[in-house]
Amino acid sequence: MVAVEQAVAAPLATRHLADLGARVIKIEREGEGDFARAYDDTVHGQASHFIWLNRGKESIELDLASGRGRRVADALIDRADVVISNLAPGAMGRLGLGATELRERRADLVVVTISGYGGDGPYRDRKAYDMLVQAESGLCSITGTPETATKTGVPVSDIATGLYALSAIQAALFRRERTGLGATIEVSMFEATAEWMGHPLYIRMYAGRQVGRMGLSHASICPYDAFPTRDGQVMIGVQNDRGWAALVRDVLGRPDLVDDERYATNIARVARRAKVDALIGSLTREFDSVELADRLDRFGVPAARLNDVAGLVEHPQLEARNRWREVETPAGPVRGLLPPMTFSDVELPMGRVPALGEHTEAILAELAGALDEGDT
């Protein structure tokens, strides 16, 4: 696979493919590389985004605008199964490496283009970063508190796009095994995020109302929020009326609330959300957090601790399932989580994070027979 990629969306897709065993050759700008390399220096002097998204890849430095760089790229593409890119709109086409040109050269090639808004339409040429797409898609309008709209704490527009690209690539390769034909695939960040808008989109179209910004709560479910305890908070998410009965009768000792018509159905509870939340909060305050969490678990009521990131790093579930591994980087080993796709018969590899241009000489030597002497 040849990846002309930067930032998050395409690198996430290709990192998952590298974890699954694909050979990913990452073409980076000479002297600069993927600009995500410079986002921060928190991981032994390296960028956290880059370490997260680029293990298991080979890095080659190329100037794709030069004759030599283009010839090397062509030689790589001639050997590739997949070419993926997420440069600025039109950039690959200007380099002569657009999807149409590549598929004309090789009908069996899978070409994936990630863009902000897609290849046509009035927003075609707009630059698109995760925050901007979250805003444009309406995601920010339903995220945050009633007073303040926010973006999400992780780049979900980028992540959604990368995962759709991953899925599409796998499907295209499977189809090629049967038909011999490649594919031209476009994944738009805006469209990926619009798909994730799901139920707020349908509520707007068919109920004519905007889903409110609910903080930790949920527009269509109640009780669903963080509730106070003597020493902290516990998240409780009651998904159905059976869960309501278990919560009030078994966990909180109020069986009279099970069939109370004001609260017995989720629709009734949502209509009286403030009263329900105040009522449940008055009852959960009587418990310590550990005691309440144990009772919720014992009676099958969905609940969770309101962790910070340190709580994730130290989470006993990750420890018990042995999910941490060491990943080699140019500055030494760092901790990394195993890929979430767990195979019963093999552990997926977690290859080294490459230095900029680390594999340039080796790749050029490998291509020697396909290049002019001066290009190697």
Side-chain angles (χ1 to χ4, degrees):
M1 164 179 285
V2 173
V4 189
E5 61 178 19
Q6 57 194 6
V8 176
L12 177 65
T14 57
R15 196 219 76 188
H16 279 306
L17 288 163
D19 287 341
L20 288 165
R23 184 185 184 190
V24 178
I25 297 177
K26 182 182 180 80
I27 295 178
E28 300 195 64
R29 289 179 293 274
E30 288 185 336
E32 179 184 359
D34 182 340
F35 57 72
R37 286 183 179 274
Y39 277 174
D40 59 66
D41 60 358
T42 57
V43 186
H44 303 327
Q46 305 163 110
S48 55
H49 277 76
F50 195 85
I51 296 299
W52 167 40
L53 294 167
N54 289 282
R55 66 176 181 241
K57 304 178 187 180
E58 300 172 37
S59 170
I60 180 171
E61 289 184 273
L62 287 180
D63 176 5
L64 291 176
S66 71
R68 174 182 177 273
R70 174 62 189 275
R71 288 190 294 273
V72 174
D74 285 344
L76 285 171
I77 291 167
D78 285 343
R79 299 182 176 202
D81 296 302
V82 179
V83 176
I84 185 171
S85 65
N86 69 329
L87 303 186
M92 289 291 280
R94 290 191 293 273
L95 293 167
L97 296 171
T100 300
E101 294 91 340
L102 294 181
R103 289 298 310 287
E104 286 175 350
R105 282 168 48 187
R106 291 217 9 232
D108 65 334
L109 191 63
V110 175
V111 182
V112 183
T113 302
I114 290 175
S115 64
Y117 293 95
D120 54 13
Y123 281 46
R124 177 189 62 188
D125 296 325
R126 290 200 180 192
K127 289 187 177 180
Y129 303 124
D130 181 85
M131 174 189 69
L132 304 178
V133 174
Q134 287 195 40
E136 193 72 45
S137 68
L139 179 57
C140 292
S141 78
I142 62 168
T143 306
T145 66
E147 296 76 25
T148 305
T150 67
K151 67 178 182 64
T152 59
V154 295
V156 297
S157 292
D158 279 322
I159 293 169
T161 305
L163 293 179
Y164 284 122
L166 169 67
S167 175
I169 289 166
Q170 292 170 317
L173 291 173
F174 182 75
R175 185 180 72 172
R176 192 179 75 167
E177 287 297 307
R178 296 190 169 191
T179 68
L181 292 176
T184 300
I185 300 167
E186 180 183 72
V187 186
S188 152
M189 290 177 64
F190 180 70
E191 290 162 9
T193 310
E195 164 66 21
W196 276 28
M197 287 294 286
H199 74 275
L201 188 64
Y202 281 92
I203 289 173
R204 175 68 257 184
M205 289 190 296
Y206 291 99
R209 60 183 173 86
Q210 164 82 18
V211 170
R213 294 189 296 272
M214 305 296 294
L216 292 171
S217 190
H218 193 289
S220 303
I221 304 172
C222 180
Y224 194 105
D225 211 328
F227 292 92
T229 64
R230 287 189 188 126
D231 58 350
Q233 291 180 304
V234 171
M235 289 289 299
I236 299 173
V238 170
Q239 294 279 331
N240 52 50
D241 299 336
R242 293 189 307 278
W244 169 256
L247 173 65
V248 294
R249 180 187 61 227
D250 302 323
V251 176
L252 301 177
R254 286 292 303 274
D256 58 298
L257 296 173
V258 172
D259 296 319
D260 188 318
E261 64 181 14
R262 296 171 297 173
Y263 312 123
T265 69
N266 183 66
I267 293 173
R269 292 191 297 274
V270 168
R272 297 172 177 83
R273 182 186 303 277
K275 290 184 177 179
V276 172
D277 287 350
L279 174 60
I280 297 302
S282 70
L283 297 171
T284 59
R285 288 180 189 277
E286 300 301 314
F287 298 88
D288 295 332
S289 295
V290 172
E291 177 190 8
L292 180 59
D294 287 344
R295 290 178 65 85
L296 290 162
D297 183 56
R298 188 189 324 154
F299 292 108
V301 178
R305 294 182 297 165
L306 190 58
N307 271 329
D308 58 12
V309 182
L312 176 62
V313 171
E314 300 160 1
H315 204 287
Q317 184 71 3
L318 295 175
E319 181 68 25
R321 284 177 51 79
N322 192 28
R323 301 305 293 179
W324 293 102
R325 296 291 184 274
E326 280 196 347
V327 177
E328 292 298 323
T329 80
V334 301
R335 294 175 74 195
L337 285 169
L338 278 169
M341 309 85 75
T342 302
F343 287 68
S344 63
D345 59 339
V346 64
E347 182 174 301
L348 298 183
M350 297 172 66
R352 173 183 169 84
V353 177
L356 176 59
E358 179 177 337
H359 302 91
T360 300
E361 291 185 8
I363 292 171
L364 291 176
E366 183 180 339
L367 298 174
L371 296 171
D372 298 333
E373 186 174 337
D375 291 334
T376 58

